Amino acid sequence: MLKPASKTPISAILMGEIIAETQWPGGGFSILPCSRDGADLFTTDERFKLLSFTGSPEVGWGLKAKAGKKRVVLELGGNAGCIVDQDADIDYAVTRLSVGAFYQSGQSCISVQRIMVHRDLYGPLKDRLVAAALSLKMGDPMSEDTFLGPIISEEEARRIESWVNDAVARGAKVLCGGNRRGVLFEATLLEDVPDDCAVICREVFGPVAVIESFTDFSAACRRINAGSYGLQAGVFTKNMDHAFAAWNDLEVGGVVINDVPSFRVDNMPYGGVKDSGLGREGVRFAIEEMTELRLLVLAKVGQIK
């Protein structure tokens, strides 16, 4: 039983139409567009043995508390961090960061939100990233050359605007963007943002990224860990010691070396720790989450027939 997000049901309905044309057993898959309140029975009805939810931490952990004896898989988003080490290829990093931070107008659970750049590269990388962000066309998503389409609703666009304005009021500097036009929001890059601003410590879910410099790689990893989320992180480096240090030290479900944390393919185990959720998606790993492991022991006593 699939309940799509209330504001985006069409893709789920199209998937249902495709499945209906296959040999899938009748009644084996159902799609029920409804409000969040209308889906409460999914959480409490004992006929459903597993609850898988993608959404906000507030809703996800609340559903888990109501789920009783069910298995629960939660993907609750994040504020993905990305480290650009001293020896990284600046041009490649900028190309990938501009995509990771602004594709889908930042409306991705693994959109790049926090960018940490070694001090030796900070100036040139910042300038190139600003130039890349300014080159992205914003407008009609049906136009092939549009990169930044609309935010899901004007309410959400206003929220993003208010978070950016709050950071600026508290001393942050807007390097580019920061403006809203209805449901459209510009590709925005901020620096000097206080740690407790929402654009750092919460999930923006919009085309907004924060950039800062570091001198010590271990300290950069600690900065990534300081947040309450832990979905995925990216590290651009040619230093294998740093690559494995990131793997060992970063408190996230996945570490992506020499690419953005926005990288994902369906056959990888995808999921997070801390407020980002529990359990893993990805074909094999989703099947494992939905499988009850059972054991049969046969003790040999005489002749078994």
Side-chain angles (χ1 to χ4, degrees):
M1 179 73 73
L2 171 63
K3 179 229 173 277
S6 302
K7 296 178 180 178
T8 55
I10 295 176
S11 58
I13 294 172
L14 290 173
M15 181 176 67
E17 291 178 352
I18 293 171
I19 292 174
E21 296 175 356
T22 70
Q23 299 301 312
W24 196 280
F29 188 84
S30 299
I31 299 171
L32 182 61
C34 62
S35 68
R36 183 182 299 166
D37 293 340
D40 279 350
L41 287 176
F42 292 175
T43 306
T44 57
D45 193 315
E46 293 185 359
R47 290 174 295 177
F48 294 102
K49 302 304 181 184
L50 178 139
L51 170 68
S52 178
F53 173 79
T54 299
S56 71
E58 294 79 12
V59 175
W61 295 118
L63 291 175
K64 182 178 182 295
K66 297 177 183 178
K69 300 176 183 178
K70 283 184 177 60
R71 287 189 174 203
V72 177
V73 178
L74 301 176
E75 199 275 79
L76 306 178
N79 55 357
C82 198
I83 299 173
V84 182
D85 204 1
Q86 185 176 17
D87 60 0
D89 182 316
I90 293 181
D91 291 334
Y92 173 69
V94 167
T95 298
R96 297 303 297 147
L97 288 168
S98 62
V99 173
F102 305 124
Y103 81 109
Q104 297 177 185
S105 296
Q107 295 169 111
S108 166
C109 296
I110 41 179
S111 171
V112 175
Q113 188 171 322
R114 295 176 295 160
I115 304 170
M116 310 201 62
V117 184
H118 192 277
R119 182 177 60 187
D120 292 349
L121 305 183
Y122 186 77
L125 186 142
K126 178 177 70 173
D127 292 342
R128 295 183 200 185
L129 189 56
V130 168
L134 290 172
S135 71
L136 301 175
K137 181 180 177 181
M138 181 175 72
D140 183 354
M142 298 302 290
S143 174
E144 290 187 3
D145 58 350
T146 295
F147 190 90
L148 289 158
I151 304 300
I152 187 64
S153 68
E154 188 161 351
E155 178 186 5
E156 286 300 302
R158 290 183 184 277
R159 174 191 58 77
I160 296 167
E161 181 182 41
S162 70
W163 285 13
V164 171
N165 290 343
D166 175 68
V168 172
R170 298 174 60 189
K173 180 181 178 182
V174 178
L175 300 176
C176 63
N179 299 307
R180 179 182 65 85
R181 296 206 310 264
V183 293
L184 298 172
F185 201 90
E186 295 175 339
T188 301
L189 195 63
L190 306 172
E191 69 175 352
D192 300 329
V193 179
D195 287 348
D196 59 346
C197 283
V199 292
I200 281 186
C201 62
R202 298 176 65 183
E203 181 182 39
V204 175
F205 215 68
V208 178
V210 175
I211 186 170
E212 62 182 270
S213 66
F214 72 90
T215 56
D216 178 74
F217 188 84
S218 295
C221 290
R222 290 194 295 271
R223 286 283 292 162
I224 298 295
N225 289 340
S228 60
Y229 291 102
L231 192 48
Q232 291 197 159
V235 180
F236 290 88
T237 186
K238 297 175 184 176
N239 185 324
M240 288 305 296
D241 288 338
H242 283 183
F244 283 108
W247 160 244
N248 286 324
D249 297 340
L250 290 175
E251 298 169 356
V252 293
V255 177
V256 182
I257 304 298
N258 288 322
D259 210 338
V260 288
S262 320
F263 174 80
R264 180 186 176 187
V265 292
D266 285 339
N267 59 351
M268 61 192 275
Y270 173 72
V273 298
K274 301 195 290 187
D275 280 355
S276 289
L278 54 89
R280 294 295 179 267
E281 300 175 5
V283 180
R284 167 190 164 186
F285 306 95
I287 291 173
E288 290 178 355
E289 294 285 356
M290 297 178 183
T291 299
E292 189 69 53
L293 186 64
R294 301 177 64 214
L295 172 68
L296 171 66
V297 177
L298 293 174
K300 184 178 181 181
V301 180
Q303 186 72 24
I304 296 179
K305 297 182 180 179

